[in-house]
Amino acid sequence: MSLLRIEKKVLSGKRLTPDDALTLFESDDIFTIGRLANHVAVSKNGNNAFFIQNHHINPTNICVNRCTFCAFSRSKDEKGAYELTIKDIINILKKARGKRQGARGKESKFAKSSPIAHRPSPMSFSEVHIVGGLHPDWPFKHYLQLLREIKNNFPELHIKAFTAVEIDYFSKISGMSLKKTLLALKDAGLQSMPGGGAEILGGRIRNKICPEKISGTRWLKVMEAAHGAGIRSNATMLYGHVEKYKHRIEHMSKLRDLQDRTGGFQAFIPLAFHPKNTNIKGAQYTSGIDDLKTIAIARLFLDNFSHIKAYWIMLGEKIAQLALMFGADDLDGTIIEEKITHSAGGRSGVAMTKRELINLIGKSGKVAIERDSFYNSRN
Ligand code: V47
Ligand code: SF4
């Protein structure tokens, strides 16, 4: 089917319908889809592509949910289960601060191809991103203490932490309302939330891939409460497992509706499913075409989201770079340590330096902007 009708809508700034999105997903014309998505990205963010210097921390992989797609989680006494103490986390951050860039273990392959001289410089990450399993024994006050200790030790570090799934769990274990839970976390130092746990919001697929997880409706409720409490967040979508295009579109429609009401989402992040060591039978890695199409259609459909993130850890460095020409305007960051994707067969590096990110972005024809956690430039 010709995309001309959709092209006219996009160029005149009209909102796309779910049927339009389905037409795009069913089309093989990824060049037209990419060109239109890039047009929208440029109209929202100029020719810029953002990155952030951040550090990921996963305090524990012990989780009561055990989603079928998750190769990261363990039960309490299972081999490979781990728990980081608050002291461990502070030490990890202190150590990372002291290190020189380019002096780490397994780095991105782009380390070697960067034309910019690879001179180590001190790491100055501005954000810590914390997500973990739903631990059966840790009390709510443990998480408050973690936030406080991080803030005490690193007052300038932005804390982006806890998925909507974790927030719901905290509300259950503390016996407090969502609002009170969120305000207590904010008071202890929480500044924004990542977009994880959204998976596919629609019930049929969600019950198949993560039957123990909170419902899609509850995930949206938590995000609405967070935005109401002045905590901005991201939204993700896990794609490429058992869902069909219609489920992705339904998922994005729900996000678009909530964003119309709250305006609290900063970025949308399609997460490419990784199949290794998971319990999703017969699943495969996503294709590069599907990755690019999904990014581009997200950019076209989610007209009320300012940013579409190409999370390079899950897409791989090269597809993430191409995604910048297909509607994405953000590559995420330095990450430094990644466990969730790499437990499931992640094939990217686990860290990139600022130089590598700038190089990757520059070669896509975009202007690299180092951002803070609210997309203000740090250049
Ligand atoms: O919710 C779990 C996903 C998410 C697999 O907000 C998997 O800036 C692929 O949400 N294959 C956590 N994905 C990560 C996340 C995230 C990452 C980066 C940036 C931001 C942000 C958020 O990881 C989970 C789940 O959807 N996940 N297992 C897997 N096998
Ligand atoms: Fe637990 Fe999150 Fe993994 Fe599900 S995806 S098992 S909630 S850590």
Side-chain angles (χ1 to χ4, degrees), residues 63 65-67 69-70 72-73 132-133 165 199 213:
C63 185
N65 269 0
R66 306 307 312 272
C67 305
F69 57 79
C70 179
F72 162 73
S73 65
V165 176
E199 324 311 356
K213 197 166 244 170

Side-chain angles (χ1 to χ4, degrees), residues 287-332:
S287 75
I289 302 276
D290 195 21
D291 293 335
L292 293 175
K293 220 192 229 185
T294 305
I295 289 268
I297 295 169
R299 180 58 291 166
L300 292 167
F301 191 74
L302 295 173
D303 57 352
N304 53 5
F305 277 65
S306 297
H307 304 284
I308 303 291
K309 189 187 281 189
Y311 184 41
W312 67 266
I313 288 274
M314 289 200 191
L315 293 176
E317 294 88 338
K318 292 184 182 185
I319 292 290
Q321 184 183 39
L322 276 173
L324 298 177
M325 303 167 85
F326 279 74
D329 62 277
D330 185 7
L331 279 189
D332 203 293

